[in-house]
Amino acid sequence: EKYGADIVPLEEDSDASESEIDEDALLAGLKGSDSEISDSEGEEDVFRSGQGKIDIDGKASAKIRARLDKLKKTSGKPGVVYIGRIPHGFYEEQMMGYFKQFGTIKRLRLSRNPSTGRSRHYAFIEFAHHEVAKIVAETMNNYLMFERLLKFSVVPEDKVHPRLFVNRNASIAPGQRLRAHQTAHNRQRTQTEVQAMVGRLVTKENKKRAKLAAAGIDYDFPGYKGARPPRAKHVKYNDSD
């Protein structure tokens, strides 16, 4: 309902974990897919300021509309479009608002940096009709938008990973992953964990001592052995106690 009647409402993905797809491999299979996944700084967010707008040439629009009208009378399988070199500000809401004029959108995923939430400048849109996806790719490929040539291509059906759109609506809190790692790293360790940690350090240290000895270097140092916590003593009780 948020983006209008042209959007098919789908259930949220039940799997809350990160998508496990290999995006680099997928992008490599798309010819001319300039992904430009770096987080560009300092770009003007023209869409948020209300200055960003996409227009299609009138004649081209009439031809496209005629083709789309024919497709409304037919049924077909879904098609996925890859979009590259997306400028900042052209996000999920703006894409939904614009591309729904071509046809029904089933799913959309804008790739974002999991740490900062910033756009990685490429996205995937699944249209309800594969032919609509082809029309979008043909019409919008190499469209100049604020000094960026947009790159469009239809993703082959065998290249569409089943988890491509998993967590597409998940919100990203900047620094959330870093804070989670910090919390896990700084947690209070149990005695068993401390003993295991020191044991690994002592093992590495013994290898260094062996190398020094093999090199004929007589050097001794306290090391981590003295830091190893004492093991808990087991007290035996007699039956008479």
Side-chain angles (χ1 to χ4, degrees):
E1 296 179 359
K2 180 178 179 182
Y3 300 111
D6 291 322
I7 311 302
V8 175
L10 296 178
E11 296 181 358
E12 292 297 324
D13 299 296
S14 58
D15 192 343
S17 63
E18 288 187 25
S19 176
E20 298 172 353
I21 68 170
D22 186 350
E23 287 189 343
D24 291 336
L26 176 58
L27 294 175
L30 301 175
K31 295 182 180 180
S33 65
D34 189 355
S35 62
E36 191 176 339
I37 63 174
S38 62
D39 287 340
S40 302
E41 298 292 342
E43 287 191 7
E44 183 182 3
D45 197 338
V46 294
F47 290 93
R48 280 187 176 173
S49 63
Q51 302 174 14
K53 187 179 180 181
I54 305 178
D55 292 318
I56 298 181
D57 178 77
K59 293 182 179 180
S61 180
K63 293 180 180 179
I64 294 168
R65 188 57 52 194
R67 293 175 62 187
L68 293 174
D69 289 341
K70 290 182 179 180
L71 291 176
K72 289 182 179 179
K73 303 176 183 179
T74 63
S75 60
K77 54 188 177 182
V80 178
V81 173
Y82 159 83
I83 312 174
R85 298 184 60 81
I86 300 172
H88 276 300
F90 197 46
Y91 302 140
E92 291 89 345
E93 184 175 357
Q94 289 78 15
M95 288 187 213
M96 283 287 196
Y98 178 74
F99 289 109
K100 70 180 182 182
Q101 69 177 305
F102 289 94
T104 302
I105 296 175
K106 296 186 66 177
R107 294 179 291 184
L108 182 150
R109 176 190 176 186
L110 172 64
S111 183
R112 291 181 176 273
N113 186 307
S115 299
T116 65
R118 292 176 64 85
S119 169
R120 281 179 165 171
H121 307 289
Y122 65 92
F124 298 92
I125 301 179
E126 183 181 41
F127 289 93
H129 204 300
H130 185 267
E131 291 300 318
V132 173
K134 290 177 60 177
I135 292 175
V136 172
E138 294 170 2
T139 305
M140 299 300 299
N141 190 41
N142 289 325
Y143 187 94
L144 181 63
M145 181 192 292
F146 302 101
E147 300 182 358
R148 286 176 180 264
L149 281 176
L150 297 180
K151 296 296 181 180
F152 283 73
S153 60
V154 177
V155 182
E157 185 178 358
D158 60 340
K159 297 292 185 181
V160 179
H161 196 283
R163 294 177 58 83
L164 178 60
F165 293 98
V166 169
N167 294 332
R168 63 192 181 280
N169 297 322
S171 59
I172 299 175
Q176 182 177 11
R177 178 176 294 183
L178 177 60
R179 289 192 294 271
H181 283 306
Q182 289 176 337
T183 300
H185 180 76
N186 297 329
R187 74 184 186 281
Q188 184 69 34
R189 261 69 173 184
T190 64
Q191 186 178 25
T192 301
E193 290 176 325
V194 173
Q195 288 178 348
M197 186 186 303
V198 175
R200 291 192 294 269
L201 293 172
V202 171
T203 299
K204 292 182 179 179
E205 190 175 81
N206 288 337
K207 292 181 180 179
K208 292 181 180 179
R209 292 178 188 272
K211 288 183 179 180
L212 291 174
I217 300 174
D218 185 12
Y219 178 71
D220 191 21
F221 52 95
Y224 290 104
K225 283 188 176 181
R228 189 193 296 269
R231 293 182 177 275
K233 295 182 178 179
H234 296 278
V235 181
K236 293 183 178 181
Y237 294 93
N238 297 327
D239 294 338
S240 59
D241 292 343

